[in-house]
Amino acid sequence: MKPESITDLDDPRLAEYRTLKATNQTRDLDHFVVEGAKLVERLLASRFPTVSVLVTDRRLSRLAAIVPDDVPVYVMPFEKIHELVGFPFHQGVLGCGRRLPWPDWRSLWSDAAESPSRDPADSKPLTLVVCPKISNPENLGSIARLGDVFGIDGVLTGPSCPDPLSRRVLRVSMGSTLRVPILVSNQLPTLADEIEAALGLTFLAAVADRDAEPFEAAGRPRRLALILGDEAEGVDPEWVARSARAITIPMPGGANSLNVSTAAAILLYHFTKRTRS
C-alpha cells in the first residue's frame, strides 16, 4: 500500500467520493462507492476492479494488510471527510469500484443448461429469486444478503428495482451484491422466458393471499425461480399468471402482509433447506 495524502477537497482524485448522498443512484455511472473497511475488503475480493480507496488518517493502519500496492490509497484528515461526502460519516473508509457489465446467464449456469433439465432426477438443482419490482433499496440489499446466506444461484431484477450497486443497497447487503450473481434486465419477462426454456425452471409467486397455497405444503421444484413482489402492490398479476403456483405465508394473526425481505428470509430458508435435505 502506497498512501497519498490529500487535504484539498477540490482535488480531482476525489471526484467519485464527492457528495455521495446526492449521487446515491449509480446506475448510469461507470463506478460505484462502498462504505467501511469490511465492504472495501469485499470489493477487493470481488470481480469488480478497485479504482481507489479513501481513508482518514485515523483508519489508515487498519487497511495496511488488505490493500495491494497497485490500488491508489488517498488519505485525508478525519475532520474533512464529512464535508467531502455530504453527510456525517464516521467509518472513515471508502472504496471506489469500476462497474462491469452484468453477467450473461449462460456464463453462470451453462452446466445446468447442458444437463437434462426436464428430468427432476438428473437435473442440477437451482434456486433463483426474481424481483420484477422492488421500490426500497434496503429491501433489495436484504434480499441479496439473504441469497448470499442461503447459497442461492442468482437474482434477476427488472428496471423498476434499485441499482444493485447503489450505496444503500451495497451497505445493507454488506457487499453481497458484489458476490451473488445478479442479472439486471430491461426486458425481464423475455429473459425469464429464455432461462425457463433452457433450464426448465418452475416459477412460484409469493403472494399475500389467504386463498393461495401455504408455502410449507408446496413441493420444492428442482429448479426454482421464486418471484417476490413490490412492497406496496405485491407480485404483478402478469407474473402470477406465468407462475406454476402462487404460494403464501399463512398469517393467522391480525396482519395481512409481511415486509418483502422478511418474507424472502422465511421462504428462502424453507426452500434451500428442502434442497439440502
Side-chain angles (χ1 to χ4, degrees), residues 1-127:
M1 184 175 67
K2 299 177 180 178
E4 304 174 40
S5 178
I6 297 179
T7 57
D8 182 3
L9 295 181
D10 294 324
D11 192 303
R13 291 173 292 179
L14 301 178
E16 290 85 357
Y17 300 102
R18 194 169 288 116
T19 59
L20 291 183
K21 190 173 183 179
T23 58
N24 187 44
Q25 295 301 317
T26 59
R27 193 184 303 273
D28 298 324
L29 302 178
D30 65 354
H31 66 273
F32 59 92
V33 173
V34 302
E35 302 175 15
K38 288 185 181 296
L39 265 66
V40 166
E41 188 171 1
R42 288 167 189 174
L43 171 61
L44 289 165
S46 75
R47 71 185 183 95
F48 298 95
T50 303
V51 177
S52 63
V53 172
L54 175 64
V55 59
T56 67
D57 46 10
R58 298 183 185 180
R59 301 283 181 154
L60 180 59
S61 60
R62 183 173 181 180
L63 296 183
I66 66 172
V67 181
D69 289 342
D70 60 345
V71 175
V73 177
Y74 306 135
V75 184
M76 69 182 314
F78 176 81
E79 295 75 14
K80 289 196 172 186
I81 198 167
H82 312 300
E83 184 179 351
L84 174 72
V85 302
F87 58 91
F89 182 71
H90 301 287
Q91 296 191 62
V93 182
L94 294 162
C96 178
R98 182 69 61 203
R99 183 182 291 274
L100 295 174
W102 300 111
D104 182 86
W105 70 265
R106 297 171 191 82
S107 68
L108 298 172
W109 310 307
S110 59
D111 55 341
E114 293 168 0
S115 66
S117 59
R118 297 295 178 181
D119 186 343
D122 297 330
S123 61
K124 175 185 176 182
L126 286 172
T127 304

Side-chain angles (χ1 to χ4, degrees), residues 48-251:
F48 298 95
T50 303
V51 177
S52 63
V53 172
L54 175 64
V55 59
T56 67
D57 46 10
R58 298 183 185 180
R59 301 283 181 154
L60 180 59
S61 60
R62 183 173 181 180
L63 296 183
I66 66 172
V67 181
D69 289 342
D70 60 345
V71 175
V73 177
Y74 306 135
V75 184
M76 69 182 314
F78 176 81
E79 295 75 14
K80 289 196 172 186
I81 198 167
H82 312 300
E83 184 179 351
L84 174 72
V85 302
F87 58 91
F89 182 71
H90 301 287
Q91 296 191 62
V93 182
L94 294 162
C96 178
R98 182 69 61 203
R99 183 182 291 274
L100 295 174
W102 300 111
D104 182 86
W105 70 265
R106 297 171 191 82
S107 68
L108 298 172
W109 310 307
S110 59
D111 55 341
E114 293 168 0
S115 66
S117 59
R118 297 295 178 181
D119 186 343
D122 297 330
S123 61
K124 175 185 176 182
L126 286 172
T127 304
L128 305 180
V129 170
V130 182
C131 299
K133 180 181 179 182
I134 297 290
S135 299
N136 190 325
E138 295 183 2
N139 282 331
L140 183 60
S142 293
I143 291 168
R145 191 173 185 185
L146 289 165
D148 202 2
V149 167
F150 294 123
I152 70 171
D153 296 283
V155 179
L156 311 182
T157 70
S160 297
C161 289
D163 174 20
L165 297 179
S166 69
R167 186 172 60 87
R168 287 174 65 193
V169 174
L170 281 162
R171 183 178 70 241
V172 173
S173 78
M174 284 303 295
S176 289
T177 54
L178 302 173
R179 185 162 46 211
V180 175
I182 297 180
L183 284 70
V184 179
S185 174
N186 290 328
Q187 302 295 328
L188 188 58
T190 301
L191 175 64
D193 286 341
E194 183 179 339
I195 299 175
E196 179 183 20
L199 303 184
L201 293 174
T202 298
F203 286 82
L204 299 183
V207 299
D209 182 348
R210 295 182 185 274
D211 295 328
E213 181 179 9
F215 75 96
E216 290 178 302
R220 155 72 209 207
R222 188 73 170 168
R223 293 183 170 178
L224 167 65
L226 178 66
I227 304 174
L228 300 176
D230 177 65
E231 294 88 344
E233 302 169 1
V235 178
D236 187 280
E238 292 185 4
W239 281 94
V240 176
R242 70 171 297 136
S243 301
R245 299 191 302 282
I247 60 172
T248 192
I249 299 171
M251 303 177 199

